[in-house]
Amino acid sequence: MKLKISNQEIQDQEVKNWWNDEKTKKWHHFTYDQNNYLSGHLILRQKKVLDFLKNLNLPESAKILELGCGAGQTAQKICELGFEYVGIDISKHLCDESEKKCEKYVKLGKASFLNQSIEKEYLLKDNDFDVCVIIGSMQYVGNLEKCFSEIRRTLKKDSYIIVCQANMYALLDLIYPRRLILRLIYFIFNEDFLISPSFKSMLCDSKLKNIFKRFENSKLMNTKFMTKGEDNWKYKIKKRMFSYRRLKNILGYFNFKIINKTGATFFFPKKNIFYWFWNSLDLILQKLLDLRILPFLKSFSDNIIIVAKKK
Ligand SMILES: C[S@@+](CC[C@H](N)C(=O)[O-])C[C@H]1O[C@@H](n2cnc3c(N)ncnc32)[C@H](O)[C@@H]1O
């Protein structure tokens, strides 16, 4: 896996622009809303992260660092557990929202938020934190080396990291033909970064680009069939992708020893006539995973969650 990308400066700027864009402002109102069917998987992954955190049996004086804390939904829950908390996020409006949510704890001096990049030196002391929590923000990190060297610097000896990231091989994506083909490309060419699920992108943005890039502007390549699913996002961000194996290798590379792992959610269906089928299947798979009857299922869940100890 590439630990550092070549266009880091563009990435820094684009990540900053995107997460400070007005569009991302409204998200915190519905991302963890129980009534929004799309929130179920975020709520479950957060619950599993918090369960892992509670099971570490930390003293109340423990200090938790969260990277990419977003609108503070997890920050609030960590503060409610009684721990001291510091959150870092590149988005000014999300930091403000987090502070609002955790106002009580901020006033007590038990929570604080830093509006900065998690790829730059953290304005924090060495050996100060008991746990570092990362939920869904590692895909934006261009320079994993810098990020992990800061994590290791700020973590105490015998501390932990809890990482929760979307899975590039989620079952949910393997049941649609186009997305399945894309996953095969990810697998065969060991792709590091997200590719949009259009046939054009699969040919011109994957490692196959050596052959097909020259046809990028051809008529055939720009037919509706070839461009269906294309991503016209204006921000030029290289989003990393993670599988269970990839996360395990990254943590191992940066000297963390895995002590527990699981997955969260397989399907989060819309309320239509197939809802009961997909929802029941999701519950069954989730149970088989939680009861450790089929632990390998975590490699196909929507999110993968790992707890590891600093070596
Ligand atoms: C998908 S959101 C996840 C938010 C939150 N952890 C949650 O689970 O709800 C990703 C977050 O990471 C933050 N982020 C992305 N890249 C960052 C960077 N380089 N430095 C700091 N924060 C970053 C974004 O601003 C955003 O709040």
Side-chain angles (χ1 to χ4, degrees):
M1 166 154 230
K2 264 196 185 154
L3 295 175
K4 264 181 182 176
I5 57 168
S6 47
N7 62 344
Q8 185 64 49
E9 271 141 53
I10 302 175
Q11 177 91 350
D12 285 350
Q13 199 48 53
E14 291 289 85
V15 166
K16 198 169 179 176
N17 290 346
W18 167 237
W19 285 104
N20 285 288
D21 189 310
E22 282 296 305
K23 279 194 194 133
T24 61
K25 224 177 207 180
K26 60 177 192 280
W27 286 353
H28 53 80
H29 295 304
F30 61 77
T31 44
Y32 286 79
D33 176 359
Q34 293 276 7
N35 300 317
N36 171 8
Y37 85 97
L38 281 173
S39 300
H41 74 296
L42 299 178
I43 293 169
L44 183 64
R45 76 176 186 178
Q46 183 196 55
K47 180 185 175 305
K48 292 199 167 194
V49 167
L50 292 168
D51 286 348
F52 273 163
L53 183 64
K54 286 180 216 162
N55 288 339
L56 292 175
N57 294 320
L58 301 164
E60 269 224 354
S61 59
K63 284 185 85 169
I64 318 295
L65 170 66
E66 188 186 6
L67 304 185
C69 59
Q73 289 95 343
T74 306
Q76 194 178 8
K77 305 240 179 240
I78 293 176
C79 290
E80 283 164 8
L81 291 175
F83 300 126
E84 258 189 66
Y85 173 96
V86 175
I88 303 184
D89 204 286
I90 203 156
S91 163
K92 171 83 176 78
H93 58 75
L94 290 178
C95 275
D96 291 346
E97 178 60 32
S98 296
E99 268 191 25
K100 225 192 289 167
K101 273 204 192 78
C102 301
E103 196 182 356
K104 187 168 112 192
Y105 303 98
V106 172
K107 279 188 181 151
L108 288 170
K110 290 203 77 175
S112 58
F113 296 89
L114 297 176
N115 180 210
Q116 67 151 96
S117 171
I118 56 173
E119 296 183 58
K120 301 268 157 69
E121 193 175 330
Y122 308 164
L123 302 170
L124 298 168
K125 287 194 282 190
D126 295 358
N127 307 316
D128 203 25
F129 290 89
D130 297 272
V131 185
C132 172
V133 173
I134 307 175
I135 310 178
S137 45
M138 214 157 82
Q139 69 270 34
Y140 298 99
V141 175
N143 189 344
L144 284 172
E145 269 174 354
K146 182 66 189 169
C147 182
F148 270 88
S149 84
E150 282 302 286
I151 293 173
R152 289 192 63 86
R153 179 183 70 76
T154 48
L155 278 180
K156 290 178 186 165
K157 191 173 169 276
D158 292 329
S159 54
Y160 301 89
I161 183 167
I162 305 180
V163 182
C164 171
Q165 282 295 143
N167 181 7
M168 64 196 279
Y169 299 124
L171 197 53
L172 184 68
D173 290 313
L174 305 181
I175 56 172
Y176 298 98
R178 231 169 351 108
R179 294 201 221 166
L180 172 64
I181 296 170
L182 180 57
R183 264 70 202 172
L184 289 174
I185 290 178
Y186 286 162
F187 183 74
I188 295 166
F189 298 107
N190 195 21
E191 297 288 346
D192 285 318
F193 303 100
L194 191 80
I195 295 167
S196 66
S198 73
F199 287 121
K200 182 181 172 185
S201 290
M202 288 182 218
L203 297 175
C204 299
D205 299 331
S206 70
K207 296 210 173 103
L208 287 168
K209 67 174 168 237
N210 296 334
I211 307 168
F212 292 100
K213 193 81 176 168
R214 75 189 92 153
F215 304 114
E216 192 177 25
N217 297 320
S218 70
K219 232 178 175 176
L220 176 67
M221 206 56 102
N222 289 289
T223 55
K224 244 189 179 165
F225 174 77
M226 294 300 281
T227 55
K228 189 169 177 211
E230 198 152 79
D231 187 0
N232 293 316
W233 204 28
K234 72 172 180 176
Y235 294 97
K236 299 282 162 258
I237 298 174
K238 278 184 166 247
K239 267 200 197 178
R240 288 185 182 277
M241 295 183 297
F242 301 97
S243 59
Y244 171 65
R245 180 185 277 265
R246 210 169 258 186
L247 281 174
K248 184 176 140 200
N249 290 344
I250 291 171
L251 290 168
Y253 181 83
F254 290 109
N255 271 315
F256 286 93
K257 183 177 180 284
I258 294 184
I259 56 167
N260 211 345
K261 64 247 174 189
T262 190
T265 316
F266 293 90
F267 301 104
F268 38 102
K270 278 189 192 152
K271 293 251 177 195
N272 59 24
I273 51 165
F274 301 111
Y275 175 80
W276 292 109
F277 171 75
W278 291 115
N279 194 46
S280 310
L281 187 58
D282 179 61
L283 293 175
I284 293 167
L285 294 175
Q286 197 61 63
K287 263 276 166 291
L288 291 171
L289 176 62
D290 290 345
L291 297 174
R292 295 176 195 255
I293 297 169
L294 297 178
F296 73 89
L297 282 175
K298 68 179 173 306
S299 303
F300 301 101
S301 58
D302 178 57
N303 270 269
I304 295 162
I305 305 142
I306 299 181
V307 190
K309 190 164 184 175
K310 186 180 173 191
K311 285 202 244 178

